[in-house]
Amino acid sequence: MSSATDSPAADVPVAPDKIGPEATEADARAITEAARETSWDRPSFAKGLYLGSFDLSLIHPWPEARAEDVERGDEFMARLTAYCRTMSGRLIERDAKIPDEYLAGLAELGVFGMKIPREYGGLGLSLVYYGRALALLGSVHPSLGALLSAHQSIGVPEPVKVFGTAEQKQEYLPRCAAGAITAFLLTEPDVGSDPARMGSTAVPTDDGDAYVLDGVKLWTTNGVIAELVVVMALVPEHRDSDGTVHKGGISAFVVEMDSPGITVENRNAFMGLRGIENGVTRFHQVRVPAANRLGREGQGLKIALTTLNTGRLSIPALCVASGRWSLKIAREWSNARTQWGRPVGKHEAVGKKIAFIAASAFALDAVFELSAEMADAGQKDVRIEAALAKLWSTEISCRIADELVQIRGGRGFETADSLEARGERAVPAEQQLRDLRINRIFEGSSEIMKLLIAREAVDAHLAAAGDLASADASLQDKARAAVGASGFYARWLPKLVAGAGMDPRSYTEFGRLAKQLRFVERSSRRLARQTFYGMGRWQAKLEHKQAFLGRIVDIGAELFAMAACCSRAEGMLHTSPEQAATAYELAEAYCEQARVRVDEYFDQLWRNTDDADRELTEKVLAGDYTWLEAGVLDQSEGTGPWIADASPRPSVKENLHRKYR
């Protein structure tokens, strides 16, 4: 027997008493699989790329925003730009804090409600303008972008908007829009991307009116100043007074941060993003009303992943800002600095770096804008596009930041304050490098993102292969699965032999970019064939070939970026004709650079050192080479355990939580 509090059995694939430090690999896989969205009710351009189906009509013509959204968005951006000019990123960096008056000013502008519908007091901006606002704010200081992304993309507003009841929306969304800062609490000292090890619990009270929350959450961005938070916690299996048994499972709760029993025990400090107020939050016997649960018991991870589907686009937006700023600094500095009788930018070694920054900055803009426009239109499934945008943007922007430091030379390594103190322009190139580095870890590390994307990319193969892809299946089951799979591949493989990419007349409406799209189409089919070969070679072991799958994902990411650049450039013929010619040049430059990388990835699929590296790693972990570690002092020894104790108990530390308003 079940009730409205329960999730379907598929959402609770592992009994709550098996979740925790002793969770097995099979438990972790089952929980992750259950949280995935498995249906594809709308077309996906990126999913097609991995299956050898290059459907350009899904991204071109460039999606057009509604005139009303553009008008309201432009008006807001004008007001926000004026306010941003009054803020000092240098002040935030020096004080490691966003001043309370800045937060109050942003609240007055409605910035905390950019994505919240107008009926709840928000601005109701599109994802495109929300991202543009984040980029602008991030150019003042990236901590501003991190603050608002954590609040609005994954904090209380988004999950309440999507999963909340009418009463929850009415209670929380107006507060969030008015400036109540929020946070999202999933990570724990021993829980990262593997929620099967979750230790936080939410035990229902006997009367069923509330849950008692215990646990420790780590890296709670905004947690120090948040008024409201979304907390993920494990609800144990429990029984109602009438005998009804509820399965429980990982669930989501909206929690008031001034509730008794909550202690912000530490404000964490990092190599970058020095203005974010990120803390360790302990919950001890915190009473949370049952009305504060989002969705059903056991639905927490599905809520988290659904929220991240488009929430991840906030990071690519911030990467756009870094690309634009880096291009401006590289251009101005490379004209001003002279070496060997020529501006440094005229030397090919530096010029190559400038060309990479310029082409990549255009691509960053195209990838974000395309993904956001498609998400706003709502006609396509963009979960893979958003994940690819996050993965690719964070990697490429970190490389841009590193190249900018190299172009600046010694000044790139020097702080802005030091430069200014000796009379030079205060360019924080080293700060950008520090600030951007976390983006490859935020909201799913690059390694985890590749596994998530790869899982979706090979989904059709896994569905067709059935028990062939199961390590636990019997030989009889595998034989039956082989018969079923042969039918799928007999229909699918012939489609990968030829396509528009082999016809020199294809995509002629794109002019000089037509050959780039033909390359993308050919490479998409080649990518699908290589994935099939990998599936056939390793079958159930494919999931452990993470380096192979990572290269598959990287190829798809580059093809997506190339297609976005071409569509963006051609679209600008109609929207910005005065810039179209230069846009074509930038798109072509990016595509030519990306083609080299794509060819290298394809080559590395089968020519690599993966097996040897795996053996070497096992020996390193076994301690075979500890002699190589001699001759240095590890001053971290004795400072504490690798992972802090997160067992339930009252806090013994001062509560660092504070309110800005």
Side-chain angles (χ1 to χ4, degrees), residues 501-552:
M502 301 174 68
D503 184 348
R505 298 166 297 179
S506 298
Y507 313 116
T508 53
E509 66 271 27
F510 284 84
R512 61 198 285 185
L513 296 178
K515 69 174 185 178
Q516 309 297 349
L517 291 174
R518 291 195 290 269
F519 175 85
V520 174
E521 195 279 336
R522 292 194 305 273
S523 298
S524 173
R525 287 185 284 108
R526 183 183 179 188
L527 179 61
R529 293 194 300 268
Q530 299 299 315
T531 305
F532 168 71
Y533 299 152
M535 188 74 191
R537 177 174 177 177
W538 292 301
Q539 297 181 27
K541 296 180 181 178
L542 181 62
E543 68 172 296
H544 299 296
K545 305 297 291 184
Q546 295 177 358
F548 175 86
L549 292 172
R551 295 180 193 108
I552 290 288

Side-chain angles (χ1 to χ4, degrees), residues 374-390:
M374 289 197 296
D376 283 331
Q379 298 172 344
K380 314 292 191 305
D381 191 320
V382 298
R383 74 185 87 160
I384 296 183
E385 283 84 349
L388 282 174
K390 190 273 179 187

